[in-house]
Amino acid sequence: MTKLERTRALKRDLALAGLMVAAGLTISAVSFAELASQPNVAQATPPLQSTPGAETKPTAPDEPGTTGSRPHEVAPQPARPDAEAIDAGAKPALPPAPAEKVGDPIPTK
């Protein structure tokens, strides 16, 4: 490129950049003018209204009566029976845990 071509390209690029900045400022000014022309109105929550026919509908059902105690028919069983129970024939509810994996001890330096 010659010096004249570089100068023309620079002028064209600067003109295009200035045109885009002017367009952005124009859009911003139009937006602000539109916002300023609208009156400021606060949005309020509408008053609560009753459901039509609420007077004739039944209210929520009463809470069921609870005794507050556990049923005593089945006693809770431990997952692992003790040694006496195992000797009597009780089986554990869970399988035995896997053996712990142990590696070689870390040598001291």
Side-chain angles (χ1 to χ4, degrees):
M1 278 179 112
T2 64
K3 185 175 181 180
L4 182 60
E5 289 174 348
R6 279 188 291 192
T7 305
R8 284 183 185 166
L10 178 63
K11 285 182 182 180
R12 185 184 67 232
D13 289 346
L14 287 176
L16 183 61
L19 184 63
M20 290 196 301
V21 168
L25 290 174
T26 304
I27 290 172
S28 297
V30 169
S31 298
F32 284 130
E34 190 172 326
L35 285 174
S37 68
Q38 295 176 355
N40 292 336
V41 177
Q43 294 181 351
T45 304
L48 296 176
Q49 297 177 353
S50 176
T51 304
E55 301 84 28
T56 60
K57 291 183 181 176
T59 59
D62 295 333
E63 290 292 325
T66 58
T67 61
S69 62
R70 289 180 53 131
H72 296 287
E73 295 141 4
V74 178
Q77 298 291 324
R80 302 246 176 249
D82 56 359
E84 294 173 3
I86 292 175
D87 291 341
K91 293 184 179 177
L94 298 174
E100 189 174 322
K101 295 181 180 178
V102 179
D104 296 332
I106 299 174
T108 57
K109 293 184 179 182

